[in-house]
């Protein structure tokens, strides 16, 4: 019997429309004449989904009784007996009721497929087995119902039912996913915008990997070897050398340029099985690859370039990153083209990036002024003259004849030119004199004597020396210009680096000092403030200057040179004296150091002024509050008490009671305001006393309503049953709820009750106070938690604007958080989150 085909509708989260799409496809196929039945569909009470089942034949479910409860499950036998062409099976990852033939619904689906019945099913990305850990990390919820990856990957067709996170939250707020009593908890917990975005990305990446596997299978079946650039795959070659980290980070940047880019690192192991040259470096580089989101691979092969190219082709690489050769030019000249040149030649349509690194270019240093040729080159010239002269003499003596004098002279002339090119003027003159004497001794009659009997011989020797001087002069000038060009480039690089270091800010001093030591080849460099000058440039006690930055090891005998930096610091140089040109460049560095010190001092001053400005703002607001908000209840109390004490007017009993009530109300308001001010002071001073205990949230919410005198007409309660206790200070938590409730009731429109809801999510218990007032713009929500802020409240009788500031401070003092969020349909929702102490609860 032909096995049925499996079609999976994959979603990122509940509510994206998988079941609706499955039923819609079933209705379409039925209209085309296909025999389609609904094997099992979970509508979750959604009217739109229930309406889509109309017109589709439904196979009755089987009933399973478990612990006195009747549960309905997919009836596999009934579906097989009905033998439709296609069966619609919802929620592939569902766990069947205990006592069922199969523990999992996907096992029921396997039976239907084996019976030749095709199946269209649904599954969410969080239920795929291999992604359980990632989903738990993102959402805080551990999924119990899972389906093996292999089951989903074996499907004949996988489709993504996608919906933007913001659109899904709108659908949830409109009541299209969950009933009204679950909307707020869902929006605040699992269906947060960040969670939905991460789950959507997870679904897209998982499906992309599946598409990639299908593409590879298709190309293998059809014998397609050419590269298809569906996405960037960057292969970085690692040798185990120190350049590996540089190459990996460059490869990661290349891979990140396009969405879905993939990073692969490869190390070629020789077939002889010998140990790696740098096993520790490879281990750390492997960890770096994994931290960058890539994968590490090892291949075996003696021909490294061929192995690299073959691996790159096997993974459909689009980019290949290799390091610049660490060989010298001389080694390259004798050993032929390196790995990089060979890889470029054989890579074909794969782009190759050769990345330079410290091991290839050596350390940065400014070329010194002076002679064009180095001492090493001059010594090499003398060595060439001493070794090349006897070797050439032996060769020419062996093949000497009476007619060979011209070729002998030209041969020695060539030797002189070569020595001049290598070592300059002094080795060239030495070679010319030595060649003239050798010619006269071995090749000019009388042989084996040194005599200049003919003027032409003297002329010949003079021409040797003139030619040597001219050639060596040209070589020396070219070397001088080359060195000057390199020095100018190095100076430009150093100045650019120093300027960039100043712009980078905090580490500018250390970067400049380190660059100076390296550039001038010094043993150590110190930047020292003048005695009596502190780190911030202000005066300080002490006879020794403060070290602002140091690099290298300063010598015990004191600095070899020093230069002033601004008015209050000195740059000490240890190792050698600098020449005039180097000191000129050092002056530019000193100016940059002075700018960096000034930048640091200004930053320190600015950081000190910030708290002072905030304190000044708070002080001004406090004075304003004391002068205005505290004066009102104080004046009322004084007036009432004065009226009671007055003997000029006879007061009735009702008038006396009214004055007493006014005084009592004013003094109570005054006490509340002073208490709030003291609490804010304690919070800002870090002196808040918090006594944590296991607190029942319900026992805090209800007394808070009583304290405010609020009843069912003003507040609607939605307290979750079996809520775990929280770790909190009961008195402080009640103050938090009272302050938030008072604020919510104040801004709620008439006949719209404030709603107080509680829920548990992962290790957190939340208290949500929901109003339907004007709300607060997202960019201004942080302001409502600042002291003395009354956004949108012009009524000076409502307090000092400390309620929410106190609520957040008290909540954070108990280890919780207080955040503001939108209320679906308009308004503001304040969410208090506290740590649960009775274990984890899943939503």
């Amino acid at each position: 019997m032909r096995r049925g085909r499996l079609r999976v509708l994959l979603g990122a989260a509940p509510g994206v429309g998988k079941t609706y799409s499955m039923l819609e496809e079933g209705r379409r196929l039925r209209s085309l004449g296909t025999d389609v039945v609904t094997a099992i569909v979970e509508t979750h009470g959604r009217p739109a989904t229930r309406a889509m089942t109309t017109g589709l034949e439904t196979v009755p479910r089987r009933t399973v009784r478990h612990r006195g409860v009747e549960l309905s499950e997919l009836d596999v036998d009934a579906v097989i007996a009905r033998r439709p062409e296609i069966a619609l099976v919802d929620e592939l990852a569902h766990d069947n009721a205990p006592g069922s033939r199969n523990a999992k619904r996907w096992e029921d689906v396997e039976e239907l497929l084996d019976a030749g019945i095709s199946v269209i099913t649904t599954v969410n990305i969080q239920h795929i087995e291999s992604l359980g850990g990632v989903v738990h990390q993102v959402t805080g919820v551990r999924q119990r119902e899972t389906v093996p990856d292999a089951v989903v990957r074996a499907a004949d067709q996988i489709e993504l039912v996608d919906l933007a996170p913001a659109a899904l939250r709108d659908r949830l707020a409109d009541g299209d996913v969950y009933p009204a009593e679950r909307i707020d908890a869902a929006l605040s917990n699992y269906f947060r915008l960040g969670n939905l975005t991460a789950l959507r990305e997870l679904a897209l990446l998982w499906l992309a990997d599946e598409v990639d596997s299908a593409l590879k299978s298709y190309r293998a079946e059809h014998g397609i070897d050419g590269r298809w650039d569906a996405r960037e795959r960057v292969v970085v070659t690692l040798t185990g050398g120190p350049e590996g980290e540089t190459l990996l980070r460059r490869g990661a940047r290349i891979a990140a340029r396009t969405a879905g880019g993939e990073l692969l690192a490869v190390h070629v192991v020789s077939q002889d099985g010998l140990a790696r040259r740098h096993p520790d470096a490879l281990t750390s580089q492997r960890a770096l690859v994994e931290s960058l989101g890539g994968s590490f691979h090892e291949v075996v092969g003696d021909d490294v370039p061929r192995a690299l190219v073959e691996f790159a082709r096997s993974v459909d690489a689009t980019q290949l990153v290799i390091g610049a050769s660490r060989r010298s030019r001389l080694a390259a000249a004798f050993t032929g083209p390196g790995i990089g040149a060979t890889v470029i030649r054989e890579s074909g349509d794969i782009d190759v990036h050769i990345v330079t690194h410290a091991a290839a270019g050596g350390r940065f240093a400014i070329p010194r002024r002076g002679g064009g040729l180095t001492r090493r080159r001059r010594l090499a010239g003398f060595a060439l003259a001493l070794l090349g002269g006897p070797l050439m003499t032996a060769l020419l003596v062996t093949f000497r004849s009476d007619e060979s004098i011209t070729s002998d002279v030209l041969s020695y002339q060539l030797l002189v030119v070569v020595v001049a090119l290598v070592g300059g003027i002094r080795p060239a003159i030495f070679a010319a004199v030595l060649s003239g004497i050798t010619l006269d001794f071995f090749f000019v009659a009388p042989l084996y004597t040194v005599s200049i009997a003919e003027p032409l011989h003297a002329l010949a020797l003079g021409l040797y020396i003139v030619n040597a001087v001219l050639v060596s002069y040209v070589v020396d000038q070219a070397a001088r210009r080359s060195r000057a060009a390199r020095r100018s480039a190095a100076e430009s690089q150093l100045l650019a680096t120093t300027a960039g270091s100043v712009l980078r800010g905090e580490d500018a001093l250390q970067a400049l000092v380190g660059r100076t030591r390296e550039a001038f080849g010094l043993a150590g460099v110190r930047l020292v403030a003048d005695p009596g000058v502190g780190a911030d440039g202000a005066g300080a006690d002490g006879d020794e200057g403060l070290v602002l930055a140091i690099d290298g090891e300063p010598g015990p005998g004191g600095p070899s040179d020093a230069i002033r930096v601004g008015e209050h610091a000195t740059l000490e140089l240890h190792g050698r004296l600098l020449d005039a040109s180097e000191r000129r460049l050092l002056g530019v560095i000193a100016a940059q150091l002075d700018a960096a010190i000034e930048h640091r001092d200004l930053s320190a001053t600015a950081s000190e002024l910030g708290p002072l400005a905030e304190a000044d703002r708070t002080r001004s607001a406090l004075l304003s509050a004391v002068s205005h908000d505290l004066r009102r209840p104080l004046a009322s109390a004084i007036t009432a008490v004065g009226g009671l004490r007055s003997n000029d007017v006879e007061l009735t009993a009702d008038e006396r009671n009214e004055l007493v009530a006014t005084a009592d109300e004013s003094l109570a308001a005054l006490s509340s305001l002073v208490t709030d001010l003291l609490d804010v002071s304690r919070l800002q001073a870090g002196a808040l006393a918090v006594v944590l205990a296991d607190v029942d949230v319900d026992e805090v919410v209800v007394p808070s309503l009583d304290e405010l005198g609020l009843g069912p007409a003003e507040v609607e309660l939605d307290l979750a049953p079996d809520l775990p206790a929280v770790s909190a200070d009961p008195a402080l938590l009640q103050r938090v709820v009272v302050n938030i409730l008072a604020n919510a009731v104040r801004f709620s429109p008439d006949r719209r009750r404030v709603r107080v809801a509680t829920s548990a999510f992962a290790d957190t218990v939340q208290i949500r106070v929901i109003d339907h007032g004007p709300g607060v713009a997202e960019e201004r929500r942080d302001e409502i938690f600042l002291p003395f802020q009354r956004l949108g409240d012009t009524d000076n009788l409502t307090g000092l604007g400390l309620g929410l500031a106190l609520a957040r401070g008290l909540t954070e003092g108990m280890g919780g958080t207080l955040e503001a969020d939108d209320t679906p349909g308009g308004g503001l929702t304040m969410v208090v989150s506290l740590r649960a102490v009775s274990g984890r609860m899943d939503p």
Side-chain angles (χ1 to χ4, degrees), residues 603-647:
S603 298
T605 303
S607 63
E608 293 175 359
L609 291 177
L612 292 177
E614 179 63 24
D616 184 66
R617 190 195 67 80
T618 303
R619 188 180 300 109
S620 299
L622 179 59
L623 291 175
S624 175
V626 170
S627 63
H628 186 277
D629 296 276
L630 294 182
R631 182 184 298 173
R632 183 190 57 79
L634 184 60
S636 298
I638 292 173
T639 302
V641 173
L644 290 172
R645 295 185 60 187
S646 175
N647 296 323

Side-chain angles (χ1 to χ4, degrees), residues 342-362:
T342 308
V343 168
I344 292 174
R345 186 176 62 249
E346 299 185 1
S347 61
D349 53 359
I350 301 176
D351 296 335
V352 180
H353 301 263
I354 297 183
V355 180
T356 187
H357 48 84

